Structures are given as structure tokens and as C-alpha cells.
Amino acid sequence: MFADCPVCKLHFEIEPGFYWGAMYVSYAISCAILIILGGATLILLNDPDFWVYMAIIIPAFILASPLTYRYARIMMLYWFSPIRFDAKMANK
Ligand SMILES: [Zn+2]
């Protein structure tokens, strides 16, 4: 994540430790991935052995972690900061 926006130079870190809350958002996203993949494995593979669940869910967590990390920070910015998208700034 950039420290400052490359277009409008906005400094993204609202205050020190602002993104600690993103851990909770990331946790919620990870739980959603676990529930969806676990449910899909249960239904599509007709309740296989435990190791099959682990073989599907653990790599998915690892592969999704760069995305969950970034989206958790984006959601944190949108939900808990006064920063909003401004189309006039984006079209510079
Ligand atoms: Zn910007």
C-alpha cells in the first residue's frame, strides 16, 4: 500500500495504528472464505475426509491473503475515515 496517493498526494495513514482495525476486517473475510469453501467442499465432494478440507482451505487462505490484506485496509478506510472518492481528483 502506498503511504501517499500517487495521484492526489493524500496521506493514507489517518493516525498512528489506524490500520490495526483492519485485522478484524481481515478476520471476517477469512472466516467467510472458510465457510464458503468448507460448505462447497461438503456439498460438491459429498463430505470427504478431514485432510481434503485442509488441502482445499489452507492453500486458498495463503493465496487469498494478499487480497484480504488489501481489501481489509480499503474497507477500514471507507468505513472509519472521512476519506471519500472524488471523481474530479481521479480525472487529473
Ligand atoms: Zn488520491
Side-chain angles (χ1 to χ4, degrees):
M1 182 174 176
F2 293 111
D4 301 296
C5 176
V7 176
C8 66
K9 309 300 180 220
L10 173 79
H11 188 61
F12 287 125
E13 182 123 9
I14 310 300
E15 60 189 23
F18 176 76
Y19 292 102
W20 275 79
M23 285 190 310
Y24 299 103
V25 179
S26 175
Y27 176 71
I29 295 170
S30 297
C31 284
I33 290 171
L34 181 135
I35 290 167
I36 290 167
L37 284 179
T41 304
L42 175 72
I43 292 167
L44 297 176
L45 300 179
N46 197 21
D47 197 15
D49 290 337
F50 179 74
W51 67 266
V52 177
Y53 286 97
M54 293 299 104
I56 291 170
I57 291 170
I58 291 172
F61 268 134
I62 293 167
L63 291 175
S65 63
L67 289 176
T68 55
Y69 169 77
R70 285 173 175 80
Y71 278 102
R73 284 175 160 242
I74 291 167
M75 289 176 189
M76 189 74 195
L77 261 181
Y78 271 87
W79 291 340
F80 299 107
S81 83
I83 295 172
R84 293 293 175 264
F85 178 71
D86 184 350
K88 287 180 294 201
M89 297 300 287
N91 292 330
K92 273 186 176 177

